[in-house]
């Protein structure tokens, strides 16, 4: 009589992805409860806006710090904390769904520390790019630049797999092309805040840093490329 298999039908979510999601979810739940005045009283209604201005990134911040050669930690930390603050529950829900879907795939290939580098590095690069090239005075918040960094890592995984199989490597970039097209369309119609800048910057960072973080390291990737 065969022994029952202990292999799970569905691979569990990587712990690092769960932890990052729980932080973001805890922040959003706090805002929801505050908006309903379950916590914070009447002052709770303004907690989200206060968090944006206290922990978000204003596009004028980095140029100001560079011009004054002044880089206080209270402002530098914004380039990380903004990724856990969303402008509304709908934005948080969409970002979380995308994060869990892409993060699950990336987290099963890359180590936990590599995922953290991709996530926070993409958030930082995205915020820096928005500060330098985005509309002056706009606020950046939300996890999309970091999520796009994970999409960059996923694209790298697909690119390597297609290259190994002698497939059409351009197919690896279909997802980011589709997402960017949709985002540009919505920004043209509704926003005009150039939020594609931090997202695309996060994607580029996430893709390129994988050459160093990929299992087997840079030499394995170079070997695969030279094999062609």
């Amino acid at each position: 009589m065969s022994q029952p298999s202990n292999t799970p039908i569905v691979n569990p979510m990587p712990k690092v992805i769960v932890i990052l999601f729980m932080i973001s979810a805890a922040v959003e739940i706090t805002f929801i409860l505050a908006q309903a005045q379950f916590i914070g009283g009447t002052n709770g209604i303004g907690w989200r806006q206060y968090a944006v201005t206290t922990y978000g990134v204003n596009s004028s911040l980095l140029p100001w710090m560079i011009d004054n050669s002044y880089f206080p930690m209270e402002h530098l930390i914004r380039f990380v904390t903004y990724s856990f603050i969303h402008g509304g529950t709908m934005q948080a829900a969409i970002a979380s769904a995308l994060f869990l879907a892409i993060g699950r795939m990336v987290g099963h290939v890359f180590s936990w520390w590599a995922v953290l580098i991709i996530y926070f590095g993409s958030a930082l690069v995205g915020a820096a790019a928005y500060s330098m090239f985005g509309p002056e005075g706009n606020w950046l918040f939300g996890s999309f630049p970091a999520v796009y960094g994970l999409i960059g890592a996923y694209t790298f995984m697909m690119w390597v797999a297609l290259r190994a199989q002698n497939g059409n490597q351009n197919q690896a970039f279909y997802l980011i092309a589709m997402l960017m097209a949709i985002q540009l369309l919505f920004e043209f119609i509704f926003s005009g805040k150039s939020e594609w800048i931090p997202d695309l910057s996060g994607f580029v960072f996430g893709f390129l840093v994988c050459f160093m973080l990929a299992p087997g390291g840079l030499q394995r990737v170079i070997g695969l490329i030279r094999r062609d």
Side-chain angles (χ1 to χ4, degrees), residues 24-39 44-52 55 84-89 92:
S24 183
V27 172
E28 184 57 34
I29 291 172
T30 299
F31 292 151
I32 293 174
L33 294 176
Q35 181 68 31
Q37 297 187 32
F38 287 118
I39 58 176
I45 298 176
W47 281 10
R48 189 188 297 274
Q49 184 60 37
Y50 174 79
V52 168
Y55 301 105
F84 296 109
I85 303 167
H86 294 88
T89 302

Short mmCIF file of all heavy atoms in Angstrom, two decimals, residues 24-39 44-52 55 84-89 92:
data_model
loop_
_atom_site.label_atom_id
_atom_site.label_comp_id
_atom_site.label_asym_id
_atom_site.label_seq_id
_atom_site.Cartn_x
_atom_site.Cartn_y
_atom_site.Cartn_z
N SER A 24 1.78 45.93 4.65
CA SER A 24 0.95 46.80 3.83
C SER A 24 -0.52 46.69 4.22
O SER A 24 -1.24 47.70 4.31
CB SER A 24 1.12 46.46 2.35
OG SER A 24 0.38 47.32 1.53
N ALA A 25 -0.98 45.45 4.48
CA ALA A 25 -2.37 45.24 4.86
C ALA A 25 -2.68 45.87 6.21
O ALA A 25 -3.76 46.46 6.40
CB ALA A 25 -2.68 43.74 4.89
N ALA A 26 -1.75 45.77 7.15
CA ALA A 26 -1.96 46.35 8.47
C ALA A 26 -2.11 47.87 8.38
O ALA A 26 -2.95 48.47 9.07
CB ALA A 26 -0.80 45.99 9.39
N VAL A 27 -1.29 48.50 7.53
CA VAL A 27 -1.38 49.94 7.35
C VAL A 27 -2.73 50.32 6.75
O VAL A 27 -3.40 51.25 7.22
CB VAL A 27 -0.23 50.44 6.44
CG1 VAL A 27 -0.43 51.92 6.09
CG2 VAL A 27 1.11 50.23 7.12
N GLU A 28 -3.16 49.58 5.73
CA GLU A 28 -4.43 49.90 5.07
C GLU A 28 -5.62 49.65 6.00
O GLU A 28 -6.57 50.46 6.02
CB GLU A 28 -4.59 49.06 3.79
CG GLU A 28 -5.82 49.39 2.97
CD GLU A 28 -5.89 50.85 2.56
OE1 GLU A 28 -4.82 51.44 2.30
OE2 GLU A 28 -7.01 51.39 2.47
N ILE A 29 -5.59 48.58 6.77
CA ILE A 29 -6.67 48.31 7.72
C ILE A 29 -6.76 49.42 8.76
O ILE A 29 -7.85 49.84 9.16
CB ILE A 29 -6.46 46.94 8.40
CG1 ILE A 29 -6.68 45.82 7.38
CG2 ILE A 29 -7.41 46.76 9.58
CD1 ILE A 29 -6.32 44.44 7.90
N THR A 30 -5.61 49.92 9.19
CA THR A 30 -5.59 51.05 10.13
C THR A 30 -6.29 52.26 9.54
O THR A 30 -7.10 52.93 10.21
CB THR A 30 -4.14 51.42 10.50
OG1 THR A 30 -3.51 50.29 11.12
CG2 THR A 30 -4.11 52.60 11.46
N PHE A 31 -6.02 52.56 8.27
CA PHE A 31 -6.66 53.70 7.62
C PHE A 31 -8.17 53.49 7.49
O PHE A 31 -8.96 54.43 7.65
CB PHE A 31 -6.05 53.94 6.24
CG PHE A 31 -4.63 54.43 6.28
CD1 PHE A 31 -3.75 54.13 5.24
CD2 PHE A 31 -4.18 55.21 7.33
CE1 PHE A 31 -2.44 54.60 5.27
CE2 PHE A 31 -2.87 55.67 7.37
CZ PHE A 31 -2.01 55.36 6.33
N ILE A 32 -8.57 52.26 7.17
CA ILE A 32 -10.00 51.96 7.02
C ILE A 32 -10.73 52.15 8.34
O ILE A 32 -11.80 52.76 8.40
CB ILE A 32 -10.19 50.52 6.50
CG1 ILE A 32 -9.67 50.39 5.07
CG2 ILE A 32 -11.67 50.11 6.56
CD1 ILE A 32 -9.68 48.97 4.53
N LEU A 33 -10.14 51.64 9.42
CA LEU A 33 -10.75 51.78 10.75
C LEU A 33 -10.77 53.24 11.19
O LEU A 33 -11.74 53.70 11.82
CB LEU A 33 -9.99 50.92 11.76
CG LEU A 33 -10.06 49.40 11.57
CD1 LEU A 33 -9.18 48.69 12.59
CD2 LEU A 33 -11.50 48.91 11.66
N ALA A 34 -9.70 53.96 10.84
CA ALA A 34 -9.65 55.38 11.21
C ALA A 34 -10.69 56.18 10.43
O ALA A 34 -11.33 57.08 10.98
CB ALA A 34 -8.26 55.94 10.95
N GLN A 35 -10.86 55.87 9.15
CA GLN A 35 -11.85 56.56 8.33
C GLN A 35 -13.26 56.35 8.88
O GLN A 35 -14.11 57.25 8.85
CB GLN A 35 -11.77 56.07 6.87
CG GLN A 35 -12.74 56.74 5.92
CD GLN A 35 -12.41 58.21 5.69
OE1 GLN A 35 -11.25 58.60 5.74
NE2 GLN A 35 -13.44 59.02 5.44
N ALA A 36 -13.51 55.14 9.40
CA ALA A 36 -14.81 54.82 9.99
C ALA A 36 -14.93 55.31 11.43
O ALA A 36 -15.95 55.10 12.08
CB ALA A 36 -15.06 53.32 9.92
N GLN A 37 -13.85 55.93 11.92
CA GLN A 37 -13.79 56.50 13.28
C GLN A 37 -13.90 55.42 14.37
O GLN A 37 -14.32 55.70 15.48
CB GLN A 37 -14.87 57.57 13.48
CG GLN A 37 -14.69 58.76 12.56
CD GLN A 37 -15.65 59.90 12.85
OE1 GLN A 37 -16.04 60.11 14.00
NE2 GLN A 37 -16.04 60.63 11.81
N PHE A 38 -13.50 54.19 14.02
CA PHE A 38 -13.40 53.15 15.05
C PHE A 38 -12.15 53.38 15.91
O PHE A 38 -12.10 52.97 17.06
CB PHE A 38 -13.35 51.76 14.42
CG PHE A 38 -14.66 51.30 13.86
CD1 PHE A 38 -14.81 51.03 12.51
CD2 PHE A 38 -15.77 51.16 14.69
CE1 PHE A 38 -16.02 50.61 11.99
CE2 PHE A 38 -16.99 50.74 14.18
CZ PHE A 38 -17.12 50.47 12.82
N ILE A 39 -11.15 54.01 15.32
CA ILE A 39 -9.96 54.39 16.06
C ILE A 39 -9.60 55.83 15.68
O ILE A 39 -9.90 56.28 14.58
CB ILE A 39 -8.75 53.46 15.77
CG1 ILE A 39 -8.42 53.47 14.27
CG2 ILE A 39 -9.01 52.05 16.26
CD1 ILE A 39 -7.19 52.67 13.92
N GLY A 44 -9.04 60.63 13.13
CA GLY A 44 -8.65 59.48 12.32
C GLY A 44 -8.97 59.65 10.85
O GLY A 44 -8.33 59.02 10.00
N ILE A 45 -9.92 60.51 10.54
CA ILE A 45 -10.30 60.72 9.14
C ILE A 45 -9.12 61.25 8.33
O ILE A 45 -8.98 60.96 7.14
CB ILE A 45 -11.49 61.69 9.05
CG1 ILE A 45 -12.71 61.09 9.77
CG2 ILE A 45 -11.84 62.03 7.61
CD1 ILE A 45 -13.91 62.01 9.83
N GLY A 46 -8.26 62.01 8.97
CA GLY A 46 -7.12 62.61 8.25
C GLY A 46 -5.84 61.82 8.34
O GLY A 46 -4.79 62.30 7.88
N TRP A 47 -5.89 60.60 8.91
CA TRP A 47 -4.67 59.84 9.09
C TRP A 47 -4.00 59.48 7.76
O TRP A 47 -2.77 59.50 7.65
CB TRP A 47 -4.95 58.57 9.89
CG TRP A 47 -5.05 58.80 11.37
CD1 TRP A 47 -5.11 60.01 12.00
CD2 TRP A 47 -5.12 57.81 12.39
NE1 TRP A 47 -5.21 59.84 13.36
CE2 TRP A 47 -5.21 58.50 13.63
CE3 TRP A 47 -5.12 56.41 12.40
CZ2 TRP A 47 -5.29 57.83 14.85
CZ3 TRP A 47 -5.20 55.74 13.61
CH2 TRP A 47 -5.29 56.45 14.82
N ARG A 48 -4.80 59.13 6.77
CA ARG A 48 -4.20 58.73 5.48
C ARG A 48 -3.44 59.89 4.86
O ARG A 48 -2.31 59.73 4.40
CB ARG A 48 -5.27 58.22 4.53
CG ARG A 48 -4.68 57.58 3.24
CD ARG A 48 -5.77 57.26 2.23
NE ARG A 48 -6.71 56.28 2.71
CZ ARG A 48 -6.55 54.96 2.61
NH1 ARG A 48 -5.46 54.46 2.04
NH2 ARG A 48 -7.48 54.12 3.05
N GLN A 49 -4.06 61.05 4.84
CA GLN A 49 -3.40 62.22 4.27
C GLN A 49 -2.17 62.59 5.07
O GLN A 49 -1.13 62.98 4.50
CB GLN A 49 -4.37 63.40 4.22
CG GLN A 49 -3.81 64.64 3.55
CD GLN A 49 -3.40 64.41 2.11
OE1 GLN A 49 -4.06 63.67 1.38
NE2 GLN A 49 -2.30 65.03 1.69
N TYR A 50 -2.25 62.47 6.38
CA TYR A 50 -1.10 62.77 7.23
C TYR A 50 0.05 61.79 6.92
O TYR A 50 1.22 62.19 6.86
CB TYR A 50 -1.49 62.65 8.70
CG TYR A 50 -0.32 62.79 9.66
CD1 TYR A 50 0.20 64.05 9.97
CD2 TYR A 50 0.27 61.66 10.23
CE1 TYR A 50 1.28 64.17 10.84
CE2 TYR A 50 1.35 61.78 11.09
CZ TYR A 50 1.85 63.04 11.40
OH TYR A 50 2.92 63.15 12.25
N ALA A 51 -0.29 60.52 6.72
CA ALA A 51 0.74 59.51 6.41
C ALA A 51 1.41 59.79 5.08
O ALA A 51 2.62 59.62 4.93
CB ALA A 51 0.11 58.12 6.41
N VAL A 52 0.61 60.25 4.10
CA VAL A 52 1.17 60.57 2.79
C VAL A 52 2.20 61.69 2.90
O VAL A 52 3.30 61.61 2.34
CB VAL A 52 0.04 60.96 1.80
CG1 VAL A 52 0.63 61.58 0.53
CG2 VAL A 52 -0.79 59.75 1.45
N TYR A 55 5.21 60.26 5.36
CA TYR A 55 6.01 59.11 4.94
C TYR A 55 6.06 58.93 3.43
O TYR A 55 6.75 58.03 2.94
CB TYR A 55 5.45 57.84 5.58
CG TYR A 55 5.43 57.88 7.08
CD1 TYR A 55 4.24 58.08 7.79
CD2 TYR A 55 6.61 57.74 7.82
CE1 TYR A 55 4.23 58.13 9.18
CE2 TYR A 55 6.61 57.79 9.21
CZ TYR A 55 5.40 57.99 9.88
OH TYR A 55 5.39 58.04 11.25
N PHE A 84 4.33 51.49 1.46
CA PHE A 84 3.32 50.82 2.28
C PHE A 84 2.08 51.70 2.49
O PHE A 84 1.17 51.32 3.22
CB PHE A 84 3.91 50.45 3.64
CG PHE A 84 5.02 49.44 3.55
CD1 PHE A 84 6.34 49.82 3.80
CD2 PHE A 84 4.76 48.13 3.21
CE1 PHE A 84 7.37 48.89 3.72
CE2 PHE A 84 5.78 47.20 3.12
CZ PHE A 84 7.09 47.58 3.37
N ILE A 85 2.05 52.86 1.83
CA ILE A 85 0.93 53.79 2.00
C ILE A 85 0.23 53.97 0.65
O ILE A 85 0.87 54.31 -0.33
CB ILE A 85 1.42 55.16 2.51
CG1 ILE A 85 2.18 54.99 3.82
CG2 ILE A 85 0.27 56.14 2.66
CD1 ILE A 85 2.95 56.22 4.23
N HIS A 86 -1.09 53.72 0.65
CA HIS A 86 -1.85 53.85 -0.59
C HIS A 86 -2.87 54.96 -0.48
O HIS A 86 -3.31 55.32 0.62
CB HIS A 86 -2.52 52.52 -0.93
CG HIS A 86 -1.56 51.42 -1.25
ND1 HIS A 86 -1.03 50.60 -0.27
CD2 HIS A 86 -1.00 51.03 -2.43
CE1 HIS A 86 -0.20 49.74 -0.84
NE2 HIS A 86 -0.16 49.98 -2.14
N GLY A 87 -3.26 55.49 -1.63
CA GLY A 87 -4.19 56.60 -1.64
C GLY A 87 -5.63 56.21 -1.36
O GLY A 87 -6.46 57.06 -1.10
N GLY A 88 -5.93 54.92 -1.41
CA GLY A 88 -7.28 54.44 -1.14
C GLY A 88 -7.29 52.92 -1.09
O GLY A 88 -6.32 52.26 -1.48
N THR A 89 -8.41 52.37 -0.62
CA THR A 89 -8.52 50.93 -0.48
C THR A 89 -8.45 50.22 -1.84
O THR A 89 -7.88 49.13 -1.95
CB THR A 89 -9.83 50.57 0.23
OG1 THR A 89 -9.86 51.22 1.51
CG2 THR A 89 -9.94 49.07 0.45
N ALA A 92 -4.89 49.98 -2.94
CA ALA A 92 -4.21 48.99 -2.10
C ALA A 92 -4.59 47.57 -2.51
O ALA A 92 -3.73 46.67 -2.55
CB ALA A 92 -4.55 49.22 -0.63
#
